[in-house]
Amino acid sequence: MRSTTIGTARLSTAHKLSAAGLTAAAGAAALAFAVTPGQAAETPSIAVKPVAWTTTDLGAHDHTAQQSDTAAAKAKTQAKAATDAADAKKKADAAAKAKADKDRAEKQAASRSQARTPVKPAAPAKPAPAAPVKKAYADNLDGWIKESLDILKSKNIPASYEGIKRNVMRESTGNPRAINDWDINAANGVPSKGLLQIIDPTFKAYHVEGTSWDPYDPVANITASCNYAADKYGSMDNVNSAY
């Protein structure tokens, strides 16, 4: 508890002023009685009104002072908290800026590194394969038979040089423009033509792809005739007479 003894109580400025008032009043009262003996009967007494003072007044003033101190302390605490928050925000902003600067620098470095990456030279284009050189054949009966045999072989059609030449010599004596205009085929309007004397319908039916459609062409004539003979007789080698 707070002491009610005036001598030991802690006095605020307001309390000190009240005490000073009491002292002044007491002094005035003393002066009223301090007169000469001859004047005592003539001078009326002065009534001094006592100044009221209680410990309750001291407590009220002290409470007000405490409230003021508390408010000041609270304001100081709030100001410090605001300052700390501002400092923390500055630090956070600085850290974020530093990170952004670092990330930007790293991206720029990576971009420059990619820009400096040497481009591998393109592999030289492979030259287009050369077209196969067409085999040359003599423009005579020997060359015509050999060329026809190569075509027949690629189509799996059986025939031999000897079998072809033997039948050519019997049918046309090796004349690619030979034509029969006196037999039954001629009478029917489809005379036999060429080296192996083949008629047009048979030539067209047994024509071999890759050769001419002209029945007088020596290679086309031999190839179509051998294809027909292989179908009817097994091979031109098996033909020994008109077929």
Side-chain angles (χ1 to χ4, degrees), residues 200-216:
D200 286 345
T202 303
F203 175 81
K204 292 176 182 179
Y206 288 91
H207 174 265
V208 176
E209 183 180 359
T211 62
S212 171
W213 282 93
D214 180 5
Y216 287 108

Side-chain angles (χ1 to χ4, degrees), residues 228-240:
Y228 167 76
D231 181 48
K232 299 300 182 181
Y233 307 105
S235 172
M236 183 61 76
D237 295 350
N238 299 328
V239 177
N240 295 299

Side-chain angles (χ1 to χ4, degrees), residues 14-221:
H15 296 162
K16 292 176 182 179
L17 289 175
S18 297
L22 290 175
T23 303
L31 289 175
F33 288 97
V35 295
T36 60
Q39 295 176 335
E42 298 177 1
T43 304
S45 62
I46 299 173
V48 179
K49 185 176 181 181
V51 177
W53 180 84
T54 65
T55 58
T56 303
D57 293 332
L58 290 174
H61 287 298
D62 192 48
H63 180 66
T64 300
Q66 286 181 343
Q67 287 181 334
S68 178
D69 293 343
T70 301
K74 182 177 181 182
K76 184 177 180 181
T77 301
Q78 291 176 342
K80 185 177 184 304
T83 300
D84 292 343
D87 291 342
K89 186 176 183 303
K90 287 181 181 179
K91 291 180 180 180
D93 291 343
K97 184 177 182 301
K99 184 177 185 302
D101 292 343
K102 181 180 178 182
D103 292 344
R104 183 168 53 254
E106 289 177 351
K107 287 181 180 179
Q108 290 176 348
S111 178
R112 288 193 296 271
S113 176
Q114 290 178 353
R116 289 193 296 267
T117 301
V119 178
K120 293 182 179 180
K126 294 181 179 180
V133 179
K134 186 176 181 180
K135 186 176 179 179
Y137 300 94
D139 189 21
N140 53 32
L141 181 58
D142 178 72
W144 300 332
I145 294 174
K146 289 179 179 178
E147 183 176 356
S148 179
L149 283 170
D150 286 343
I151 296 172
L152 292 168
K153 183 178 181 181
S154 68
K155 305 294 183 180
N156 294 318
I157 300 173
S160 69
Y161 185 95
E162 292 75 12
I164 294 173
K165 187 173 182 179
R166 174 167 45 81
N167 281 284
V168 165
M169 297 308 293
R170 186 189 68 251
E171 295 290 334
S172 65
T173 66
N175 179 11
R177 304 298 300 179
I179 183 172
N180 184 331
D181 55 5
W182 54 267
D183 64 6
I184 188 61
N185 291 323
N188 291 331
V190 284
S192 302
K193 301 175 181 178
L195 290 176
L196 285 168
Q197 293 293 284
I198 190 170
I199 60 176
D200 286 345
T202 303
F203 175 81
K204 292 176 182 179
Y206 288 91
H207 174 265
V208 176
E209 183 180 359
T211 62
S212 171
W213 282 93
D214 180 5
Y216 287 108
D217 179 87
V219 175
N221 185 284

